[in-house]
Amino acid sequence: MEEQGISIVNNLKAAIEAILFAAGHPVKYERIADVLGISVKDVKALTEHLAEVYADEENGSGLMLLNYEESGTCQLCTKEQYAPYIREALGIRKGGNLSPSSLEVLAIVAYNQPVTRSFIDQVRGTDSSYATTSLIDKELIEACGTLDAPGRPKLYRTTEKFLRVFGLTSLEELPVAEHLVMPEDAKELTEEQIAEAAENAAEKPTEE
Amino acid sequence: MENTVNYHIGQFDGPLDLLLSLISKNKIDIFDIPISLVCDQYMQFLQESELDEMELAGEFLPMACELMLIKSKMLLPRPEAETEDPRAMLTDALLRFQQAKAVASKLSALYAVFSGRCVKETDEISIDKTFVLEQSPEALVSAIHKVNVRASLDVRNNTEVFTPMIRKPVIPIDRKIRVIVKSLTKRKRSTIRDLLADVESVSDAVATFLGILELIKTKTLIIQEPDELGEYGIADTHGIDTVLVYNPEAEIPVIGDIRDGDELPVGQLSTDNITYDVE
């Protein structure tokens, strides 16, 4: 009987893995719960467990499972340390880093979301339409409604992709401006690694 | 406090960037900006800019106006604690901008590391278009049988049914008019129903009726008033038919004379100015 119980759980975990692989994009816990006929709470427990299994270096997995609390979704992605292998295998050149303007716009959106384009311009004190549009194209920010004001300007917020490529799982992990507390994943990076990454970022050609 | 600045506009990412630089250079408290000083230094900076950077300077002009406006508001006597600090909006923008700049460099480092996390595009799982056999071959045989039966019954392909349709003659109204006149010459009067009694087809009936109308028009036939009905009382017509009386003095709208046994060639005929094509 216990063996049967375990294999049911394994079956569910395998199903979740298959769904997330085929989807590629973040999938809602609710959706998985509906499909598998289990509760959202159970889905969360299973995905957390899966995340741990992937993360454990002993298991030799190049993948990781991201759980986005705020949007109630989860997603499979590759571990960043294998990016060089992937790029070489697929013949992809490393993409340019984000320009300082783009980063400023991104920061403004991240900390003040949701915001309008004119708010962004106001805070930066300069026209930021190019950077904003570029970030929308890169799917790091997205429209999310309109402001109840003349002209009904669009409001923007950060996306799940934003969280992923900055090593965050929720907006709460954003570095606090004054004290600059590091996000969870970044804690694993040493000061030297961060400095080195910053140096590399400065050397590589930036887009724009 | 320095009074001269030796920067180029191109170094700055906009007026707020320049302001922040002036603020830090002068060690100003951002929550209590000495507007006069900042405004003067800002203006001095713009004036000392290289001429070839004038196009960039355009971006900095609105802020120059803003600073002057705030400066003048500060110079005016303010009622105590009633109006907002004119510097409030500027301070707010500066703080947010400062925060964004500070975080941007940290974000840059994070991005450099974590942008290596790749995800797949959603898989296109197409519906399998291969047909899976679920029926017996006999079903095909009975289907072809039904098709054959239907084809043989198809009226369109059956020449026996089709031929009379294309061979059907045009019935000339002229001929009908002669028939009516001949008949009424003997009877003197008739009802429409009687005149239509011998028609052989719908086309025949239509041609006869049009003939009647034509004869009424030329007053060859006259519609009898009800109270003049002679042997045809109202009871005979049951109130739903018309009695027509032959008027021998009227013109007959046909070509040529009427003779017994007159047959006109088949085909379209026209009576003077009338042409009907009755199929």
Side-chain angles (χ1 to χ4, degrees):
Chain A
M1 272 307 279
E2 211 178 85
E3 273 176 18
Q4 220 180 29
I6 292 169
S7 79
I8 289 174
V9 169
N10 281 341
N11 204 41
L12 289 171
K13 282 195 280 183
I16 293 174
E17 191 182 48
I19 292 169
L20 292 181
F21 174 81
H25 58 74
V27 180
K28 282 196 178 295
Y29 294 131
E30 266 173 26
R31 189 90 164 134
I32 298 173
D34 280 343
V35 169
L36 298 178
I38 57 179
S39 71
V40 169
K41 219 171 116 191
D42 285 341
V43 172
K44 280 190 192 171
L46 288 170
T47 53
E48 267 166 30
H49 185 252
L50 268 175
E52 280 167 30
V53 170
Y54 281 125
D56 190 347
E57 297 296 339
E58 300 272 299
N59 292 327
S61 176
L63 301 177
M64 56 186 293
L65 201 156
L66 296 170
N67 280 297
Y68 302 112
E69 279 295 319
E70 280 152 357
S71 50
T73 57
C74 54
Q75 182 180 36
L76 272 180
C77 73
T78 61
K79 289 177 178 164
E80 61 276 5
Q81 56 260 42
Y82 302 103
Y85 297 106
I86 295 170
R87 284 189 206 114
E88 207 183 311
L90 301 182
I92 306 171
R93 258 181 354 103
K94 188 175 190 327
N97 286 316
L98 294 174
S99 68
S101 309
S102 289
L103 285 167
E104 277 168 27
V105 171
L106 202 46
I108 294 168
V109 176
Y111 284 86
N112 300 289
Q113 54 188 302
V115 297
T116 58
R117 274 178 189 262
S118 63
F119 180 86
I120 296 170
D121 288 349
Q122 201 181 299
V123 172
R124 276 196 76 217
T126 180
D127 178 39
S128 311
S129 50
Y130 182 84
T132 310
T133 308
S134 155
L135 287 171
I136 294 170
D137 278 345
K138 292 188 162 75
E139 294 177 340
L140 291 171
I141 61 178
E142 66 186 355
C144 63
T146 58
L147 186 64
D148 197 9
R152 292 212 157 267
K154 279 197 195 156
L155 288 167
Y156 295 92
R157 64 174 176 208
T158 53
T159 58
E160 275 139 359
K161 181 174 173 181
F162 164 76
L163 292 175
R164 184 180 89 236
V165 298
F166 286 92
L168 312 167
T169 51
S170 88
L171 290 171
E172 287 170 1
E173 291 172 9
L174 280 172
V176 175
E178 270 88 46
H179 311 289
L180 287 172
V181 173
M182 289 318 240
E184 280 298 309
D185 279 50
K187 273 201 186 108
E188 291 158 21
L189 300 172
T190 63
E191 281 294 321
E192 284 147 34
Q193 282 175 315
I194 296 175
E196 200 189 313
E199 254 177 56
N200 289 340
E203 278 165 36
K204 292 262 168 23
T206 58
E207 26 80 64
E208 203 178 58
Chain B
M1 298 229 197
E2 283 187 36
N3 280 327
T4 54
V5 288
N6 297 313
Y7 294 63
H8 291 293
I9 281 188
Q11 267 188 321
F12 296 106
D13 223 350
L16 283 177
D17 206 9
L18 168 58
L19 279 177
L20 278 181
S21 152
L22 291 175
I23 285 171
S24 81
K25 217 172 176 342
N26 292 291
K27 298 189 176 33
I28 290 170
D29 174 10
I30 207 171
F31 292 100
D32 192 14
I33 301 167
I35 275 288
S36 209
L37 174 73
V38 172
C39 186
D40 290 345
Q41 287 199 349
Y42 190 92
M43 294 307 298
Q44 190 176 18
F45 181 88
L46 286 187
Q47 277 160 11
E48 285 180 9
S49 304
E50 302 290 320
L51 278 171
D52 58 5
E53 288 179 321
M54 269 300 117
E55 65 215 17
L56 297 172
E59 235 182 278
F60 290 72
L61 290 179
M63 180 56 76
C65 301
E66 188 72 25
L67 290 171
M68 304 248 255
L69 181 63
I70 299 174
K71 176 176 170 181
S72 53
K73 279 189 184 168
M74 294 291 285
L75 287 173
L76 291 171
R78 269 180 301 157
E80 276 189 32
E82 258 183 30
T83 46
E84 230 184 272
D85 186 339
R87 301 168 296 178
M89 264 191 69
L90 181 65
T91 306
D92 188 63
L94 282 168
L95 282 172
R96 286 187 205 267
F97 183 68
Q98 198 177 44
Q99 178 193 52
K101 276 196 74 136
V103 171
S105 59
K106 293 282 177 184
L107 286 180
S108 178
L110 291 176
Y111 185 74
V113 173
F114 296 108
S115 57
R117 288 182 176 173
C118 313
V119 291
K120 266 174 73 291
E121 289 294 318
T122 312
D123 274 332
E124 283 275 342
I125 302 173
S126 51
I127 305 163
D128 189 6
K129 289 187 177 146
T130 322
F131 174 71
V132 178
L133 176 69
E134 279 175 19
Q135 297 163 306
S136 67
E138 282 77 24
L140 260 180
V141 174
S142 71
I144 201 77
H145 180 65
K146 281 187 195 148
V147 169
N148 284 334
V149 169
R150 240 201 328 264
S152 66
L153 290 176
D154 195 344
V155 167
R156 260 178 297 163
N157 296 333
N158 192 330
T159 51
E160 286 155 22
V161 176
F162 197 52
T163 311
M165 285 187 205
I166 47 174
R167 289 240 198 94
K168 208 171 200 136
V170 173
I171 298 176
I173 297 176
D174 228 11
R175 191 200 294 175
K176 289 284 130 184
I177 287 175
R178 289 167 193 273
V179 166
I180 294 165
V181 169
K182 260 198 255 176
S183 154
L184 281 178
T185 312
K186 292 176 192 149
R187 292 197 274 175
K188 304 286 185 244
R189 55 165 54 116
S190 177
T191 62
I192 292 181
R193 193 193 295 170
D194 282 344
L195 288 172
L196 290 172
D198 293 325
V199 296
E200 283 156 17
S201 64
V202 173
S203 315
D204 206 351
V206 172
T208 308
F209 189 70
L210 285 172
I212 293 169
L213 290 178
E214 193 52 38
L215 287 167
I216 292 171
K217 184 172 134 192
T218 58
K219 297 202 173 30
T220 313
L221 290 178
I222 298 172
I223 301 175
Q224 180 130 58
E225 293 300 322
D227 45 273
E228 285 170 20
L229 293 171
E231 62 196 76
Y232 288 84
I234 293 183
D236 288 321
T237 59
H238 309 283
I240 54 172
D241 203 338
T242 309
V243 174
L244 300 165
V245 177
Y246 178 56
N247 174 12
E249 281 144 42
E251 266 180 45
I252 300 167
V254 291
I255 303 164
D257 296 324
I258 298 184
R259 278 186 285 269
D260 273 322
D262 232 3
E263 280 299 325
L264 290 164
V266 177
Q268 288 175 323
L269 279 177
S270 58
T271 52
D272 287 339
N273 51 357
I274 322 154
T275 312
Y276 291 109
D277 223 291
V278 183
E279 180 259 310

